[in-house]
């Protein structure tokens, strides 16, 4: 754990990491502070950063699984301890890190008996498995199991639809969000005339990127969203000449009180 003293400087606006820890390969945590801020600015930045962290950062995960031996998602296979549905849920839990654009393929080809884990996935060099110990299935007999996987990089969450099987290919609920949670809190100091604020931002990630990397990417995404507004041309519309629009009746504040 790393702790640093929070400087209450009134001159330079600075981000600082005051606490950082790794709870597991799939859970990173850091706490940052931004100071000094004028009254109201901490809430504005905190809300925007939290939404950007949870919704604007891309992640990589397995979105499809295919095998010739799978007849139905809720079926069981001879020689495999888990049901097909349990195997798909285990594949959903695998955390990947990549610089992938779009989709790519990966495979699992194992001969039993034995346990299948994430380290048995044969993936392209652009994809890294964060936790290779993630369990997938247990083979109890000397059988061959081959599963084709589709890996995709995207953002947000995509839920599979019922009856999604196509030629033995099954969709997996895709959770592309590498940030598990983000919270912000505000500390105020100073007198009423010169009130200042400190923003505390907590970030938890799934290990595919660090909280610091998530903070930088969320900041860049916010900047990219607002840059077009700097170059937007003013568009004036003459509502009086638009005959398709209804005319609002004149209604004064005093008339409203009277009624």
């Amino acid at each position: 754990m790393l702790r640093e003293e929070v400087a209450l400087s009134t001159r330079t606006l600075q981000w600082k990491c005051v606490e950082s820890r790794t709870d597991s390969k799939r859970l990173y945590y850091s706490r940052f502070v931004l100071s000094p801020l004028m009254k109201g600015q901490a809430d504005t930045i905190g809300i925007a950063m939290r939404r950007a962290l949870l919704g604007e950062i891309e992640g990589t995960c397995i979105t499809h699984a295919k095998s010739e031996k799978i007849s139905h998602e809720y079926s069981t296979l001879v020689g495999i301890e888990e049901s097909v549905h349990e195997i798909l849920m285990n594949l959903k839990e695998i955390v990947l890190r990549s610089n992938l654009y779009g989709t790519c393929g990966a495979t699992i080809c194992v001969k039993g008996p034995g346990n299948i884990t994430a380290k048995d996935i044969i993936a392209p060099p652009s994809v890294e498995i964060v936790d290779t110990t993630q369990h997938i299935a247990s083979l109890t007999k000397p059988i061959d199991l081959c599963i084709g996987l589709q890996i995709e990089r995207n953002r947000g969450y995509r839920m599979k639809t019922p009856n999604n099987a196509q030629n033995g290919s099954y969709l997996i609920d895709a959770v592309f969000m590498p940030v598990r949670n983000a919270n912000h809190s505000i500390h105020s100091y100073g007198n009423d005339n010169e009130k200042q604020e400190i923003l505390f931002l907590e970030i938890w990630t799934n290990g595919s990127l660090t909280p610091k990397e998530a903070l930088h990417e969320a900041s860049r995404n916010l900047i990219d969203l607002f840059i077009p507004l700097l170059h937007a041309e003013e568009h004036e519309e003459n509502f009086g000449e638009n005959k398709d629009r209804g005319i609002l009746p004149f209604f004064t504040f005093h008339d409203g009180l009277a009624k």
Side-chain angles (χ1 to χ4, degrees):
M1 182 180 295
L2 174 65
R3 295 185 178 274
E4 297 179 8
E5 183 179 358
V6 180
L8 301 181
S9 171
T10 58
R11 296 182 180 180
T12 306
L13 188 65
Q14 288 184 331
W15 276 109
K16 286 190 176 181
C17 179
V18 295
E19 184 178 351
S20 181
R21 68 173 183 262
T22 301
D23 295 331
S24 67
K25 290 183 179 180
R26 290 184 285 175
L27 184 58
Y28 290 8
Y29 168 82
S30 289
R31 185 160 64 106
F32 304 89
V33 296
L34 175 63
S35 67
L37 295 166
M38 297 176 62
K39 184 178 180 181
Q41 290 182 336
D43 203 32
T44 301
I45 298 174
I47 292 173
M49 286 300 302
R50 185 177 186 275
R51 292 181 67 89
L53 285 164
L54 294 175
E56 297 295 330
I57 299 180
E58 292 186 345
T60 306
C61 62
I62 299 171
T63 57
H64 289 75
K66 183 176 181 179
S67 175
E68 295 179 355
K69 294 185 177 181
I70 298 177
S71 58
H72 191 274
E73 180 179 347
Y74 296 97
S75 63
T76 57
L77 301 178
V78 178
I80 302 179
E81 186 174 321
E82 292 83 2
S83 66
V84 174
H85 178 72
E86 290 174 325
I87 295 174
L88 295 177
M89 291 300 99
N90 291 335
L91 291 172
K92 176 183 173 181
E93 294 298 320
I94 295 175
V95 178
L96 303 174
R97 179 186 179 103
S98 79
N99 54 3
L100 181 69
Y101 291 94
T103 62
C104 71
T107 57
I108 300 174
C109 288
V110 179
K111 183 177 180 61
N115 292 325
I116 303 176
T117 61
K119 69 178 178 60
D120 296 309
I121 298 176
I122 303 173
S126 58
V127 178
E128 175 188 350
I129 301 172
V130 172
D131 184 5
T132 57
T133 64
Q134 168 64 40
H135 178 74
I136 298 176
S138 298
L139 303 183
T140 58
K141 294 184 178 181
I143 62 173
D144 294 328
L145 178 64
C146 291
I147 302 176
L149 305 174
Q150 178 176 294
I151 298 174
E152 182 179 344
R153 181 178 174 88
N154 211 317
R155 66 179 61 182
Y157 180 84
R158 187 169 63 217
M159 184 178 294
K160 66 180 181 180
T161 56
N163 302 323
N164 58 75
Q166 296 179 356
N167 299 324
S169 178
Y170 295 87
L171 286 173
I172 299 174
D173 289 338
V175 183
F176 296 106
M177 300 175 289
V179 176
R180 288 189 170 186
N181 195 13
N183 290 328
H184 80 277
S185 57
I186 301 169
H187 172 71
S188 301
Y189 65 96
N191 53 45
D192 294 336
N193 296 329
E194 296 181 0
K195 200 106 176 171
Q196 292 185 315
E197 297 178 338
I198 301 175
L199 173 64
F200 290 85
L201 185 64
E202 296 179 291
I203 303 174
W204 290 262
T205 68
N206 65 0
S208 62
L209 77 173
T210 65
K212 184 177 180 180
E213 291 172 333
L215 181 64
H216 288 172
E217 186 169 342
S219 301
R220 285 194 299 266
N221 290 340
L222 280 176
I223 292 171
D224 292 340
L225 285 173
F226 284 104
I227 280 179
L229 297 178
L230 298 176
H231 307 287
E233 296 181 1
E234 184 178 358
H235 178 68
E236 296 182 358
E237 183 174 0
N238 190 342
F239 292 99
E241 297 178 357
N242 193 340
K243 298 180 180 180
D244 295 332
R245 295 179 180 269
I247 300 176
L248 295 177
F250 181 73
F251 183 74
T252 64
F253 177 72
H254 295 288
D255 292 338
L257 291 179
K259 293 181 181 180

